Amino acid sequence: MEAEDILKSLGVEHVEIATDLTQAATLIEEQTFDFVFLDVKLGPHTSFDFAGVLIARGVAFGFVSGYGEDASFPAALRDIPRIGKPFDDRSLASLLGLAANGRS
């Protein structure tokens, strides 16, 4: 819940949290999002395939990752904005700023 608290402190009014890909897929089908933070690791899976869904829908997103190496990212996703873990209000604000500037 730390991310939710930080986002709200930055002025984000509505935050939804999915703990796995099934929940994420349900949320993206049922709601419209201005921006999505994708943790690279969701349960036993990565969020790389889900990133493709977001790209197809035109939803701005960025990755939150404990992985520092580009080698673990598919080539098509290496230019997506990414912040590392642990993150703080400054890094989350930076990622949101990229979204506000139209980068996804």
Side-chain angles (χ1 to χ4, degrees):
M1 293 302 160
E2 179 181 324
E4 181 176 8
D5 292 339
I6 292 172
L7 289 168
K8 288 188 175 186
S9 77
L10 294 171
V12 175
E13 294 178 13
H14 184 80
V15 177
E16 292 281 349
I17 297 175
T19 58
D20 60 36
L21 291 170
T22 301
Q23 289 178 350
T26 299
L27 286 169
I28 204 70
E29 287 293 326
E30 295 176 349
Q31 299 181 45
T32 302
F33 293 91
D34 295 324
F35 190 79
V36 173
F37 289 103
L38 278 182
D39 195 326
V40 170
K41 191 83 166 150
L42 289 175
H45 307 285
T46 67
S47 61
F48 297 143
D49 288 339
F50 191 74
V53 171
L54 297 176
I55 291 169
R57 290 177 175 259
V59 177
F61 71 97
F63 287 110
V64 177
S65 174
Y67 302 100
E69 298 287 326
D70 278 342
S72 63
F73 280 75
L77 299 176
R78 290 184 186 159
D79 291 333
I80 301 296
R82 175 181 0 155
I83 59 172
K85 291 181 184 176
F87 53 80
D88 58 18
D89 55 344
R90 177 180 271 163
S91 57
L92 282 180
S94 173
L95 199 52
L96 282 172
L98 291 172
N101 291 324
R103 291 190 58 200
S104 64

